[in-house]
Amino acid sequence: MFDGFETLDVYGPLGLLVSPALGCQYKAVLIGPTNSKTPNTVLTSSQLPTLTSHTLQWPQPEKFDILLIPGGLGNRPLLKQPEYLDRLKKNAEAVIASGGTILCVCTGSILLAATGMLDGKQATTNKKAFNGLTPNYPNVKWKRQARWVVDGQIITSSGITAGMVEICRYCTEIRMRRYI
């Protein structure tokens, strides 16, 4: 997470991912930037303080199955921070290498694109930001009309509702694999 992340982009998916009713019983670990104004706290787009238990670092002290990258206007300054993007990329690569999944909600896919991890892959992002942001990442196969795109272990969504629908499908698949 980062200052200015979209509140629903995090808490909507987390409500599903930690839901025993859906069969997805992940433990949520909130990761903030290393340079936050207040240690272990980031502000949502609505200026709500959110406590984080980890900072984005490499290596991370534990293995993660899912990396959720939210959108929000607060990610724009991060697009120009090579250190942040490098740490994000290393963490995302570790999740992929261990068989995990990257979930990008809204303009969270732009952050992942800035790391180079979406080069050659299909992805989508927020429709209002599409024309302004996607041209900066021409090596990504952007899908304007898609509500969500699954390309291997990376899922991108155009917005929170689309992202939550895909997360429900993802959790159902995981639950079904347990019974097969």
Side-chain angles (χ1 to χ4, degrees), residues 39-109:
N40 300 322
T41 305
V42 292
L43 294 176
T44 71
S45 58
S46 305
Q47 299 300 299
L48 299 169
T50 300
L51 296 176
T52 60
S53 58
H54 289 60
T55 58
L56 187 62
Q57 59 184 314
W58 184 253
Q60 276 293 342
E62 59 187 282
K63 175 185 161 277
F64 299 113
D65 296 317
I66 296 174
L67 179 62
L68 171 66
I69 304 172
L73 292 174
N75 72 9
R76 303 319 188 267
L78 298 173
L79 297 172
K80 298 173 185 139
Q81 294 183 15
E83 254 184 64
Y84 175 86
L85 294 172
D86 183 57
R87 282 192 299 266
L88 179 61
K89 182 177 184 174
K90 287 177 179 171
N91 278 271
E93 288 172 337
V95 168
I96 296 292
S98 68
T101 303
I102 308 294
L103 300 173
C104 298
V105 179
C106 199
T107 58
S109 60

Side-chain angles (χ1 to χ4, degrees), residues 17-176:
L17 290 169
V18 299
S19 171
L22 286 176
C24 276
Q25 299 176 18
Y26 292 100
K27 173 187 150 206
V29 175
L30 303 180
I31 303 171
T34 55
N35 60 349
S36 109
K37 296 170 191 162
T38 307
N40 300 322
T41 305
V42 292
L43 294 176
T44 71
S45 58
S46 305
Q47 299 300 299
L48 299 169
T50 300
L51 296 176
T52 60
S53 58
H54 289 60
T55 58
L56 187 62
Q57 59 184 314
W58 184 253
Q60 276 293 342
E62 59 187 282
K63 175 185 161 277
F64 299 113
D65 296 317
I66 296 174
L67 179 62
L68 171 66
I69 304 172
L73 292 174
N75 72 9
R76 303 319 188 267
L78 298 173
L79 297 172
K80 298 173 185 139
Q81 294 183 15
E83 254 184 64
Y84 175 86
L85 294 172
D86 183 57
R87 282 192 299 266
L88 179 61
K89 182 177 184 174
K90 287 177 179 171
N91 278 271
E93 288 172 337
V95 168
I96 296 292
S98 68
T101 303
I102 308 294
L103 300 173
C104 298
V105 179
C106 199
T107 58
S109 60
I110 299 298
L111 268 178
L112 193 60
T115 70
M117 285 195 65
L118 287 179
D119 287 357
K121 296 191 177 298
Q122 295 182 51
T124 193
T125 192
N126 178 277
K127 300 309 178 236
K128 289 182 182 177
F130 200 93
N131 290 339
L133 295 175
T134 59
N136 297 324
Y137 308 98
N139 296 327
V140 179
K141 298 173 185 173
W142 294 107
K143 303 294 180 189
R144 178 187 297 274
Q145 300 305 317
R147 295 190 67 197
W148 63 81
V149 173
V150 179
D151 192 320
Q153 294 166 258
I154 300 174
I155 301 171
T156 57
S157 70
S158 60
I160 185 56
T161 305
M164 290 175 68
V165 167
E166 183 57 19
I167 288 168
C168 282
R169 188 189 68 74
Y170 175 81
C171 287
T172 301
E173 275 185 22
I174 289 172
R175 188 174 64 234
M176 294 308 291

